[in-house]
Amino acid sequence: MPDETPWHDDDKFWALFHKWGFSETRWAAAGIEAEHVLALTAQTPPLDVLDMCCGVGRHCIAFAKRQCRVVGVDRTTFYLAEARARAEGEGVSIEFVQDDMRRFARPGSFDLALSLYTSFSYFEAHEDNMTVLRNLHASLRPGGMLVIEMMGKEVLARKFSERDWSESGEALLLHERHLENDWSRMANRWIFIEKNGRYEATARHWLYSATELANMLSGAGFASPKIFGALNGAPYDQHAERLVTVSHK
């Protein structure tokens, strides 16, 4: 309903997603992913790094361990609490900021900005997604780099499944997908079933092809976006697993 809280601002959704989205396997992969990002951008620490939608801080910690000064931004209170606790446990200093990515900008402050793990394209209005890109552009120093990693429309078309399910301990997640507006958007119906009950949410987000995302980046002021099929630099072809863009200010 129009007066309901948008799905991306629903703390209950993010609390339930935590179990499925931030496994120890994903934590273990963060260091390798950080190395891939540094290789793709040909940047050498120390760097000032902005992790937009940092979640529980996986990549923030990985970059901080590589002599980077890191600012992690997220809107979810308990994700940031975990990120701070994890960072303290790892002995690294990171600035974590609670804010909406449509608002956060620190002009000319960063050498590298990150939007990883499909943390872009959430907002109902396409212009809000453009605002995020403009904020990222403004936050970079001249020559600074932005890396976006998400599910591309072409990859999704090859792998699309209407529904699937997975288990974690005694919990069950059912996931149902519906394409909308001629492949412009996708509605994801998530049903979480646990001992304490059942919770359902629908997450809608935009689907962008490589060309569409590159054009958006150019429209936000970025120069010559490069496209890859994974953070390891694989080509964006019929074997691509993800859509990765690397662009500079």
Side-chain angles (χ1 to χ4, degrees):
M1 297 297 292
D3 59 347
E4 289 182 341
T5 300
W7 71 268
H8 47 77
D9 286 336
D10 185 350
D11 285 341
K12 178 67 171 178
F13 173 83
W14 293 115
L16 290 166
F17 178 79
H18 181 281
K19 179 183 297 184
W20 310 91
F22 303 111
S23 66
E24 289 306 314
T25 300
R26 291 200 182 277
W27 273 98
I32 297 172
E33 291 166 353
E35 291 293 338
H36 286 332
V37 168
L38 292 173
L40 276 181
T41 58
Q43 291 185 314
T44 303
L47 300 165
D48 288 301
V49 177
L50 169 62
D51 187 358
M52 184 61 75
C53 296
C54 66
V56 294
R58 293 185 306 132
H59 295 105
C60 289
I61 292 171
F63 278 92
K65 286 182 173 180
R66 287 159 177 78
Q67 299 182 314
C68 294
R69 297 171 293 272
V70 183
V71 176
V73 179
D74 205 277
R75 50 93 39 220
T76 306
T77 302
F78 61 92
Y79 278 11
L80 291 174
E82 178 176 342
R84 292 185 181 100
R86 291 252 192 179
E88 183 177 355
E90 294 286 347
V92 293
S93 177
I94 299 169
E95 180 187 356
F96 290 106
V97 178
Q98 185 169 22
D99 205 348
D100 188 307
M101 59 180 166
R102 291 168 292 187
R103 289 192 302 262
F104 182 89
R106 286 188 185 174
S109 297
F110 301 98
D111 305 299
L112 174 62
L114 310 172
S115 176
L116 305 179
Y117 196 28
T118 312
S119 55
F120 178 72
S121 79
Y122 290 172
F123 301 112
E124 186 74 18
H126 173 77
E127 183 58 27
D128 282 348
N129 295 323
M130 287 300 301
T131 295
V132 173
L133 294 181
R134 294 186 191 103
N135 287 344
L136 290 167
H137 183 272
S139 295
L140 289 169
R141 298 180 177 123
M145 308 287 287
L146 168 65
V147 177
I148 297 177
E149 182 259 340
M150 62 187 299
M151 179 61 72
K153 188 184 294 187
E154 299 91 341
V155 178
L156 181 66
R158 188 185 80 235
K159 301 171 66 172
F160 184 80
S161 172
E162 285 188 296
R163 59 187 62 85
D164 56 47
W165 59 275
S166 54
E167 294 179 281
S168 177
E170 297 182 7
L172 182 67
L173 171 61
L174 310 178
H175 188 183
E176 189 175 81
R177 304 168 185 86
H178 297 282
L179 297 166
E180 299 180 335
N181 301 332
D182 300 324
W183 277 87
S184 294
R185 293 169 61 81
M186 188 165 71
N188 300 272
R189 183 186 180 205
W190 302 73
I191 302 174
F192 302 89
I193 302 174
E194 300 182 322
K195 289 189 300 182
N196 296 330
R198 177 183 184 277
Y199 173 79
E200 180 175 333
T202 297
R204 284 184 168 85
H205 60 85
W206 289 84
L207 299 175
Y208 295 125
S209 68
T211 299
E212 288 168 337
L213 184 55
N215 287 339
M216 291 170 66
L217 287 162
S218 297
F222 288 95
S224 305
K226 295 181 179 179
I227 310 296
F228 301 94
L231 284 173
N232 64 8
Y236 195 68
D237 58 15
Q238 70 274 21
H239 304 297
E241 291 298 316
R242 305 286 285 173
L243 169 56
V244 176
T245 61
V246 178
S247 45
H248 68 273
K249 182 172 180 176

